Amino acid sequence: MDDASSYQTIRGSLTKNGRRRSLKTLFQLPLSSRTSIYGSISGTLPVGSIPADIVREIVDLLAPSDILNFSLASKHLRAMLLPALYETVTLKSSKNCRVTLSMLKSRKDICGYVRKLAVRPNYYLAWPRPDEQLSEEWVVSMIEDISMDLISLHTFDWDGLELPDDSLWHTLRSNCPELKSVFSNVGTRPLDPSSTLFDFSNLTSFSLIVRHGLGGSDLFPELEALPPRLWDMLRTRCPDLQELAICSFSSSARVFDFDPITDGHWPKLHTLTLGSFGYQQDFSLGPPALNNNSLSSFLDSHTNLKYIRFLWNFKRWMSPDNIPMHLSEKSLPALDTFIGVYQQLAELPNPQVVETLDLTCEPVYESRLEAVCPVLRTLTNLTSLDIWTHVFDTSRDHSLFFFSILTSCPKLTDFHFMCTTSFTVKPLKQLITQLYLLPSLKRFSLTKGHKYVDESMLSTALRILKYNPALKQINIRWAREKCPNHLKQEGCYDVVVDKHGRPEALAVVERGIPLWGVPFLRRYRHRLDKGGHSEFRRWVRGKNVRVIPL
């Protein structure tokens, strides 16, 4: 998986406190589970003929856009659902930051509902249109202005070009007593050893990430020591830490030395992201914690770990055949999600607990099938798999390659297959005609190298559905090296069934960069009748334009 997609995925997994289940998480982020956040309306007061507590149960299952539509049904519902609407506020662009922060400044009542606030000014991963420029000092000033009214703020996520002005951390720490989760990225500026970012106490989640897109060409970048005050904060003043991420998505420009983490102990830690790992100047694997068994001892002592992500940098070389982990027989008994390289799984003492696996750090080549497939077969309860492969010669028959992978994990419900080399109709058909080997499969995602002569994404989705009519969702992404985020186009196709459970339509969302013209976003419903008619609603240059059904 490209670094941009990986970055968005990890950001989502941290802020949601949930595990990654499918490629759909790259397209939209569902609202996190809620507790008692609704308006002060009697639990027995009915909404129409439906009791209010039933309405709340329904809303807990809805996506944010659906909650918004639901809240517009009446003033009573609007008042009741305002807390749910604004519990999580994610500002995904400079425009979102400018408009929403200005609104919050004038609506103190809404500020009180916000529990999770994520701001992404000058969003460097914006796609398919680049983000507009916005002063990050202005964003900091606006957040400081409303901080006194963010009385329920639990999670703050900064995702700008650089670490925000130091005054922001002091203001949030002083004015937001409920703040327990702090996430921030860094750019090119050096860290200030005396930063107030390191003055927090009793955090449950902390993340410090070198952002994607810094460039760099160092084969072996020098590990950057993190300020001692950061480690003092985490190890002595945050004993109940549950989530921790210290990593780099620009590993050729800037990499943190996270070895001191192994001196810490957090009994409640369940989510861990570290990296980048990789070759050192003498071509040994590093950093040192990987070789001196301190990382292994750290993993052994944290028995509540459920989610582990290790970022590896093998962009110029293949990974070694073996990566010793030296885990004890009782290590990682609760691990259900692992993202890294397959070699690390070979020594897992409890492989049957793993349900979600991501092997997109580097391609899996056919020459390594004899090593990869036995590892997959040990994961007897695996239900979600992301795997990156290379298919160099599309004229060859790769059926055995696909067969070997699919038969090694027969319980999959979510499968993301990524091949960033050219993946034409021939190998695609060899793959999708064997998906019957996964009888429980509900969501299939395909990321493929793109050529301009390829069939449309919709045609590919229909081809996949033809051979696998039991699928509930199909996701397709076209990758091209010189495109922003390496993406050319992407589409999400939800299968709509009739009363007999047979597919009758696809609910489609597509966006991307065409060969000619401006970036597009279109939503439509494609009917699967014999005429193949479609109902379109397209968004062109930000304007809502209806297109007559074909």
Side-chain angles (χ1 to χ4, degrees):
M1 180 179 292
D2 58 87
D3 285 348
S5 297
S6 299
Y7 179 87
Q8 294 181 42
T9 302
I10 183 179
R11 207 90 196 188
S13 68
L14 284 168
T15 56
K16 288 185 299 174
N17 187 20
R19 67 184 181 91
R20 185 169 176 272
R21 288 187 288 270
S22 75
L23 193 64
K24 186 175 183 180
T25 58
L26 299 178
F27 301 143
Q28 62 184 42
L29 295 179
L31 202 64
S32 58
S33 58
R34 305 178 204 90
T35 53
S36 301
I37 62 166
Y38 297 94
S40 57
I41 297 178
S42 170
T44 60
L45 185 63
V47 179
S49 60
I50 306 175
D53 56 344
I54 300 300
V55 173
R56 292 164 179 156
E57 290 292 331
I58 294 172
V59 169
D60 279 339
L61 302 175
L62 298 180
S65 59
D66 295 324
I67 298 175
L68 175 60
N69 292 333
F70 194 18
S71 72
L72 298 176
S74 71
K75 291 183 179 179
H76 183 75
L77 273 174
R78 179 72 175 177
M80 179 182 178
L81 298 182
L82 269 178
L85 283 171
Y86 290 100
E87 179 207 10
T88 298
V89 176
T90 302
L91 309 181
K92 299 181 180 180
S93 67
S94 292
K95 181 179 179 180
N96 286 161
C97 289
R98 177 166 43 81
V99 173
T100 306
L101 291 176
S102 297
M103 180 274 292
L104 290 175
K105 187 174 180 178
S106 64
R107 291 292 305 271
K108 295 183 178 182
D109 56 321
I110 291 179
C111 288
Y113 298 138
V114 178
R115 298 192 73 247
K116 300 179 181 180
L117 176 61
V119 291
R120 300 174 182 172
N122 305 307
Y123 194 40
Y124 43 90
L125 297 181
W127 178 90
R129 295 178 183 272
D131 201 5
E132 63 184 55
Q133 291 296 309
L134 180 66
S135 167
E136 296 189 357
E137 288 75 15
W138 180 88
V139 176
V140 168
S141 175
M142 291 295 287
I143 296 173
E144 290 179 338
D145 285 347
I146 65 174
S147 62
M148 289 290 291
D149 302 309
L150 297 173
I151 56 176
S152 301
L153 189 66
H154 178 276
T155 299
F156 179 74
D157 181 0
W158 174 268
D159 199 359
L161 293 177
E162 295 286 352
L163 198 71
D165 188 89
D166 205 46
S167 65
L168 177 63
W169 305 117
H170 173 76
T171 301
L172 291 176
R173 187 168 51 86
S174 301
N175 295 344
C176 304
E178 299 297 319
L179 186 59
K180 297 296 182 183
S181 299
V182 174
F183 308 131
S184 184
N185 64 347
V186 299
T188 58
R189 297 175 189 168
L191 290 172
D192 178 2
S194 61
S195 172
T196 56
L197 173 60
F198 312 134
D199 287 341
F200 285 93
S201 298
N202 299 315
L203 293 177
T204 58
S205 301
F206 182 79
S207 168
L208 192 65
I209 299 175
V210 177
R211 71 172 178 85
H212 169 79
L214 294 186
S217 58
D218 289 345
L219 295 178
F220 308 105
E222 185 176 351
L223 295 179
E224 178 181 341
L226 290 168
R229 291 183 62 248
L230 179 146
W231 297 115
D232 179 65
M233 175 186 73
L234 294 177
R235 292 190 302 221
T236 64
R237 301 199 310 277
C238 298
D240 296 324
L241 202 66
Q242 299 175 25
E243 298 177 289
L244 178 59
I246 298 177
C247 62
S248 172
F249 283 92
S250 294
S251 55
S252 295
R254 190 174 188 182
V255 180
F256 290 140
D257 179 5
F258 54 82
D259 272 17
I261 193 178
T262 59
D263 294 329
H265 181 66
W266 300 277
K268 297 181 180 180
L269 189 69
H270 59 68
T271 298
L272 176 66
T273 299
L274 297 176
S276 290
F277 295 84
Y279 289 116
Q280 309 300 295
Q281 287 188 337
D282 60 358
F283 280 91
S284 63
L285 289 179
L290 190 66
N291 299 312
N292 59 21
N293 293 345
S294 58
L295 179 61
S296 303
S297 299
F298 178 84
L299 297 178
D300 285 346
S301 64
H302 288 81
T303 56
N304 286 318
L305 278 171
K306 295 183 178 181
Y307 176 109
I308 290 179
R309 179 167 190 151
F310 291 148
L311 278 68
W312 289 85
N313 178 18
F314 291 122
K315 292 181 179 179
R316 293 175 174 83
W317 303 280
M318 283 185 64
S319 60
D321 291 334
N322 298 290
I323 301 178
M325 291 296 292
H326 306 292
L327 299 174
S328 72
E329 294 182 358
K330 297 181 179 180
S331 186
L332 303 176
L335 182 68
D336 67 16
T337 299
F338 180 82
I339 303 172
V341 291
Y342 76 91
Q343 297 93 321
Q344 292 178 288
L345 291 169
E347 296 183 26
L348 277 185
N350 299 291
Q352 73 282 355
V353 300
V354 177
E355 298 177 0
T356 299
L357 174 62
D358 187 323
L359 296 179
T360 57
C361 282
E362 67 168 347
V364 173
Y365 297 93
E366 292 188 62
S367 60
R368 283 191 157 175
L369 273 181
E370 292 186 1
V372 175
C373 288
V375 172
L376 291 177
R377 285 194 288 269
T378 65
L379 311 178
T380 53
N381 290 306
L382 189 67
T383 58
S384 179
L385 174 65
D386 292 51
I387 190 167
W388 180 13
T389 70
H390 270 350
V391 174
F392 291 111
D393 185 355
T394 57
S395 64
R396 285 182 48 217
D397 186 351
H398 298 276
S399 299
L400 181 59
F401 178 46
F402 304 139
F403 177 84
S404 299
I405 294 173
L406 297 177
T407 54
S408 298
C409 38
K411 293 183 179 180
L412 292 184
T413 60
D414 294 71
F415 181 36
H416 173 205
F417 180 86
M418 183 166 72
C419 180
T420 48
T421 53
S422 178
F423 198 71
T424 60
V425 169
K426 183 176 180 179
L428 172 63
K429 189 173 181 180
Q430 293 167 2
L431 171 63
I432 63 178
T433 54
Q434 296 193 80
L435 291 181
Y436 73 90
L437 296 167
L438 306 175
S440 300
L441 189 66
K442 299 303 179 187
R443 284 163 292 275
F444 175 68
S445 303
L446 172 70
T447 299
K448 62 186 289 294
H450 169 64
K451 287 189 174 182
Y452 288 112
V453 297
D454 288 349
E455 63 184 6
S456 69
M457 289 190 296
L458 176 61
S459 297
T460 299
L462 293 172
R463 185 184 300 276
I464 294 169
L465 186 62
K466 173 184 176 182
Y467 292 102
N468 303 276
L471 288 174
K472 301 300 182 184
Q473 185 186 83
I474 298 167
N475 297 294
I476 297 172
R477 307 170 82 211
W478 285 354
R480 197 172 178 86
E481 183 177 359
K482 295 185 179 180
C483 283
N485 301 346
H486 304 299
L487 283 181
K488 180 70 177 175
Q489 296 182 17
E490 65 182 8
C492 179
Y493 306 85
D494 285 303
V495 180
V496 181
V497 298
D498 60 20
K499 61 181 180 180
H500 303 293
R502 295 188 294 256
E504 67 174 7
L506 290 176
V508 181
V509 180
E510 295 175 332
R511 62 175 180 163
I513 306 169
L515 180 58
W516 294 285
V518 298
F520 65 86
L521 167 64
R522 54 188 177 229
R523 305 172 190 267
Y524 60 94
R525 182 184 178 95
H526 180 86
R527 293 200 301 268
L528 301 176
D529 56 22
K530 57 184 179 182
H533 293 180
S534 302
E535 298 171 357
F536 287 87
R537 175 176 288 182
R538 298 177 186 242
W539 279 257
V540 181
R541 296 184 181 179
K543 295 182 179 180
N544 203 0
V545 179
R546 284 188 180 274
V547 179
I548 300 173
L550 299 176

